[in-house]
Amino acid sequence: MKEREKTPLRASHADLDVLYSPATRELEKFSYENDLSFPGEYPFTRGVQPTMYRGRLWTMRQYAGFGTSRETNKRYKYLLEQGQTGLSVAFDLPTQLGYDSSDKQARGEVGRVGVAIDTIADMEVLFDSIPLDRVTVSMTINSTAAVIFAMYMALAKKRKIPFENLGGTLQNDMLKEYIARGTYIFPPEPSLRLSADILEYCTKHLPKWNPISVSGYHMREAGATAAQEVAFTLSNGIAYLDSAVGRGFPVDSVAPRFSFFFGCHNNFLEEVAKFRAARRLWAKIVREKFNPENPKSAMLRFHTQTDGCTLTAQQPENNIVRVTMQALAAVLGGTQSLHTNSYDEAMGLPTEESVRVALRTQQIIAGESGVADTVDPLAGSYAIESLTNKIEKQASEYIKKIRDMGGAASSISFMKKEIEESAYAYQQAVEKGEITVVGVNKYVSKEGKSKRLLKVSPKTEASQVKFLKRIKSKRDNAAASASLQALEKSAGTNENLVPVIIDCVERYATLGEIVSVLRRTFGEYK
Amino acid sequence: MSPVRILIAKPGLDGHDRGAKIVARALRDAGYEVIYTGIRQTPEMIVATAIQENVRAIGLSILSGAHKTLLPEIVRLLKKNVGGKLAKKITVFAGGIIPTEDITYLKSKGITEVFRPGTTTQAILDFLKRKFG
């Protein structure tokens, strides 16, 4: 009999076998105790909690932000009303790159891919009527993380919320910015110093905060395979942990607060295996390299976002099906929190209607499918365990290679190049029809009427600039300037800059002003 | 005959360069001489590079939603700097997350073609072949 053409996996280079059995090569030395163990126990292959979703469901956290803080605040309240359990802030590009909305560099970009934040006044509106001590907030912010985080803490202070009650996550992962995401400002050294300042500050004052989210998502989106995503993310994680330990932190004071962020692509079995492999590999690396006493130091806790690059602009309703399968893989892989993409995101930002469907997808998986009722239900499947071993093996080969090249910080161009190669190979495979994309290279149909899309008002930029002007005219300019001068002085020393920046934002210094000071001191990465 | 020169550029603050790099490579593989600007280019920088490199076409990749501001600005600057007659000889095309409804507007502002997500590199090559033979 002629074999049916298998689903091509060139996207991942992890070809599936026709049949998996106890005789499969990857399972030769399989041992429940060493390879899996029980959930909540080293090496955490089966999950970081003993009861997983029976104890508490994953956090449903939709990445959201657009226009002004007023509009975004309205969206947050809507999402919370619909049953979302955490917030995740998307900032616009000027905010991510340290430009005020009034800057020439910001033209056309204000409020486009996220919310515009210029001063603490915007932060106040963004979290209006949202209890910061009861909702955890994740912020996708990297180069300007210290400034945005300072605004957040200053806001908490204003509301008399003790810092130790603040829970949430800062992405604060600069290495992947140089490798794939592109929102770098300063050269690597001062960037990593700012990042470590945040880590130190959180360790001392915000015990419930995750000061870093080591991110594979953007590398995957840029074209990395599943194994590359795991390898490059963990390599970056090692670099951050190395640098923290090098600065004198005991590993057990920082490693338990490390968090991670992965994408979830289309190949269902491979993705489930990827999460399990990442967890096991990180546990082994931390134990071998850093020798922690606290078992939590070796736990890989992660957020997942379904991969945006899998969405199609053609027949967009098909994306609901893709996202459902990706979300299911993330849950079966043991994610701690999840963002599900909306079906219209290959065309623009999601509407209230499309984001509701995305959130409902998670709620249906949680409440109706039954998969949340038992821990790591796919464990012991010959296919899943083989793939888990295979991805771990491929990733650890990459990690060794990167280590031999001097670690992640010295391997930025290597990782970049590897990702580019994978992206090009993927595109070619799609064009040759070796990878099926329903509605794009197969089952193409005449395009229907285009869906209603979310519009960011063209007036956003002007109104944001007007608001910024008003805040600047009302503030005590001398106090703001003095705080910026103090920052300039401290930036040249080894002093932790977080308290100094908090001082600036409390005096209504703008994000652009603060970052200009740092640009002058640190220089820019080209 | 020397190969046709094409500039692939990333206007604005957007860092999504997967598409731009893939298109640049596919065009290069097909025999074009391609200059890729890298990310975070202002309209002024793009136009200056296009003039300096004497390109026949500019391909703009943008996923940040700023296309209605930045793309027409590039065409305007191009006309201003080389004159309308010469500017007409430079084909400006674009791709990225651009809603269908914005395409008509962009075309009215001098963008010759807008490629949507899911476009093959072959479709872009076919388009260029029609332009440059």
Side-chain angles (χ1 to χ4, degrees):
Chain A
M1 198 175 73
K2 191 173 165 285
E3 201 181 302
R4 184 185 63 84
E5 217 183 304
K6 67 188 168 204
T7 311
L9 272 173
R10 278 189 188 76
S12 56
H13 310 299
D15 271 335
L16 288 181
D17 293 350
V18 179
L19 179 74
Y20 291 94
S21 77
T24 299
R25 198 164 54 85
E26 274 91 9
L27 293 177
E28 266 170 14
K29 291 184 198 141
F30 180 79
S31 136
Y32 184 85
E33 216 160 284
N34 294 335
D35 294 332
L36 303 186
S37 187
F38 286 96
E41 279 173 31
Y42 182 90
F44 308 107
T45 316
R46 304 200 62 189
V48 292
Q49 298 292 339
T51 56
M52 285 305 287
Y53 307 131
R54 270 294 181 104
R56 194 174 68 85
L57 283 172
W58 64 90
T59 305
M60 299 181 188
R61 196 190 289 286
Q62 298 295 95
Y63 182 46
F66 60 91
T68 61
S69 43
R70 192 169 303 283
E71 290 165 279
T72 300
N73 174 264
K74 206 175 134 220
R75 174 62 66 91
Y76 290 168
K77 286 177 181 159
Y78 173 79
L79 286 165
L80 291 168
E81 271 163 29
Q82 299 302 316
Q84 169 165 286
T85 50
L87 291 175
S88 170
V89 187
F91 296 98
D92 71 359
L93 285 163
T95 305
Q96 294 188 50
L97 289 163
Y99 298 114
D100 284 339
S101 300
S102 52
D103 198 295
K104 199 178 169 214
Q105 296 278 352
R107 66 194 159 163
E109 314 262 20
V110 176
R112 287 285 169 191
V113 302
V115 62
I117 302 289
D118 295 313
T119 66
I120 186 178
D122 297 310
M123 213 58 145
E124 285 172 39
V125 180
L126 184 66
F127 293 107
D128 177 60
S129 314
I130 292 170
L132 303 185
D133 48 353
R134 277 187 284 138
V135 181
T136 58
V137 177
S138 169
M139 292 185 252
T140 298
I141 198 77
N142 297 279
S143 288
T144 56
V147 185
I148 292 296
F149 191 39
M151 288 181 187
Y152 190 79
M153 287 188 285
L155 175 62
K157 219 164 125 187
K158 259 188 155 173
R159 292 190 186 168
K160 305 207 174 4
I161 300 168
F163 286 0
E164 59 264 31
N165 293 354
L166 295 174
T169 305
L170 278 185
Q171 194 159 78
N172 192 26
D173 167 8
M174 283 309 302
L175 287 170
K176 65 91 175 59
E177 295 296 333
Y178 302 110
I179 300 167
R181 191 167 174 271
T183 69
Y184 44 76
I185 302 174
F186 318 114
E189 203 182 310
S191 291
L192 295 173
R193 175 257 176 113
L194 271 177
S195 173
D197 282 355
I198 293 170
L199 200 73
E200 180 178 59
Y201 193 87
C202 287
T203 307
K204 285 188 186 150
H205 305 287
L206 288 86
K208 291 203 301 191
W209 197 273
N210 301 312
I212 190 164
S213 171
V214 190
S215 304
Y217 179 84
H218 316 90
M219 297 191 276
R220 190 67 184 277
E221 283 287 295
T225 64
Q228 286 169 343
E229 181 187 11
V230 172
F232 300 167
T233 309
L234 300 195
S235 290
N236 291 348
I238 295 167
Y240 293 126
L241 202 48
D242 253 340
S243 120
V245 170
R247 269 173 71 131
F249 293 101
V251 63
D252 288 323
S253 74
V254 284
R257 295 317 306 167
F258 268 51
S259 64
F260 292 82
F261 171 28
F262 295 108
C264 196
H265 212 275
N266 283 336
N267 195 284
F268 185 82
L269 299 176
E270 183 184 40
E271 290 301 307
V272 175
K274 176 187 83 180
F275 298 120
R276 300 172 84 251
R279 222 168 12 237
R280 183 165 68 204
L281 190 49
W282 180 247
K284 286 182 187 169
I285 290 168
V286 173
R287 183 178 267 194
E288 279 162 27
K289 199 169 154 53
F290 300 97
N291 200 22
E293 279 172 25
N294 184 352
K296 283 190 173 159
S297 290
M299 267 184 197
L300 183 143
R301 297 173 299 125
F302 67 99
H303 171 72
T304 308
Q305 175 167 343
T306 59
D307 265 308
C309 61
T310 65
L311 301 177
T312 62
Q314 297 76 9
Q315 305 175 31
E317 56 284 356
N318 295 344
N319 292 327
I320 298 173
V321 183
R322 292 188 179 99
V323 168
T324 303
M325 291 195 291
Q326 294 160 358
L328 185 60
V331 168
L332 292 171
T335 196
Q336 274 58 63
S337 61
L338 180 60
H339 164 106
T340 32
N341 288 330
S342 301
Y343 62 81
D344 50 1
E345 290 191 78
M347 282 97 73
L349 297 184
T351 62
E352 270 193 3
E353 188 257 324
S354 69
V355 79
R356 192 183 64 227
V357 175
L359 178 60
R360 293 285 181 261
T361 304
Q362 295 196 39
Q363 290 161 337
I364 290 167
I365 292 172
E368 297 183 11
S369 76
V371 296
D373 293 346
T374 185
V375 178
D376 189 27
L378 299 189
S381 144
Y382 300 123
I384 286 289
E385 298 303 351
S386 300
L387 285 170
T388 304
N389 289 353
K390 194 167 172 178
I391 292 172
E392 183 188 347
K393 188 163 168 270
Q394 289 173 337
S396 63
E397 278 161 16
Y398 260 122
I399 290 170
K400 282 196 192 90
K401 197 165 179 182
I402 290 166
R403 187 195 61 196
D404 292 344
M405 292 192 311
S410 336
S411 313
I412 289 169
S413 55
F414 167 74
M415 293 190 259
K416 215 172 156 169
K417 190 86 203 127
E418 291 288 301
I419 294 169
E420 278 167 23
E421 287 300 322
S422 300
Y424 199 62
Y426 185 88
Q427 178 64 25
Q428 285 184 313
V430 169
E431 296 198 15
K432 285 182 197 144
E434 293 168 354
I435 289 175
T436 298
V437 186
V438 171
V440 175
N441 67 2
K442 227 172 173 181
Y443 316 113
V444 178
S445 55
K446 206 171 155 282
E447 297 233 6
K449 225 174 123 256
S450 61
K451 299 260 180 217
R452 196 179 61 83
L453 296 175
L454 180 94
K455 283 268 160 269
V456 175
S457 161
K459 290 185 190 136
T460 295
E461 198 159 313
S463 78
Q464 183 65 22
V465 170
K466 211 171 126 197
F467 185 64
L468 171 62
K469 256 195 188 148
R470 210 173 76 216
I471 296 296
K472 280 171 90 169
S473 71
K474 278 198 327 203
R475 74 180 179 186
D476 177 347
N477 266 322
S481 305
S483 71
L484 290 165
Q485 275 162 18
L487 172 64
E488 182 136 31
K489 226 174 116 200
S490 302
T493 70
N494 288 329
E495 189 185 339
N496 190 316
L497 294 182
V498 175
V500 193
I501 297 175
I502 294 179
D503 223 45
C504 295
V505 303
E506 283 182 326
R507 277 157 189 75
Y508 289 89
T510 69
L511 173 103
E513 289 168 339
I514 295 168
V515 175
S516 294
V517 167
L518 298 177
R519 273 186 222 266
R520 274 202 301 278
T521 313
F522 296 156
E524 291 186 63
Y525 182 79
K526 294 278 174 222
Chain B
M1 211 178 80
S2 61
V4 174
R5 280 189 155 191
I6 297 176
L7 181 70
I8 299 294
K10 285 283 305 170
L13 305 179
D14 180 24
H16 295 93
D17 57 0
R18 178 178 180 165
K21 284 177 182 164
I22 286 175
V23 171
R25 183 158 165 187
L27 265 48
R28 215 169 273 149
D29 286 354
Y32 291 98
E33 199 177 314
V34 181
I35 298 127
Y36 170 53
T37 60
I39 60 170
R40 275 198 246 161
Q41 302 286 305
T42 61
E44 289 81 0
M45 287 156 87
I46 292 169
V47 170
T49 311
I51 294 169
Q52 191 192 330
E53 299 288 343
N54 199 15
V55 299
R56 303 272 305 275
I58 307 174
L60 301 163
S61 165
I62 183 162
L63 290 81
S64 71
H67 48 269
K68 280 171 86 174
T69 307
L70 297 178
L71 271 42
E73 177 65 4
I74 290 165
V75 177
R76 190 187 71 80
L77 284 173
L78 195 63
K79 278 185 189 152
K80 193 181 140 199
N81 289 329
V82 301
K85 222 168 130 192
L86 255 176
K88 259 195 188 141
K89 288 190 180 161
I90 301 174
T91 304
V92 182
F93 62 103
I97 306 272
I98 298 175
T100 328
E101 59 202 85
D102 292 347
I103 294 178
T104 323
Y105 172 81
L106 292 175
K107 286 189 171 171
S108 78
K109 294 287 174 187
I111 313 295
T112 310
E113 190 56 88
V114 178
F115 296 103
R116 300 185 63 215
T119 301
T120 58
T121 53
Q122 191 54 52
I124 299 168
L125 288 171
D126 292 345
F127 162 78
L128 293 171
K129 202 170 173 203
R130 284 196 300 276
K131 289 274 164 202
F132 305 113

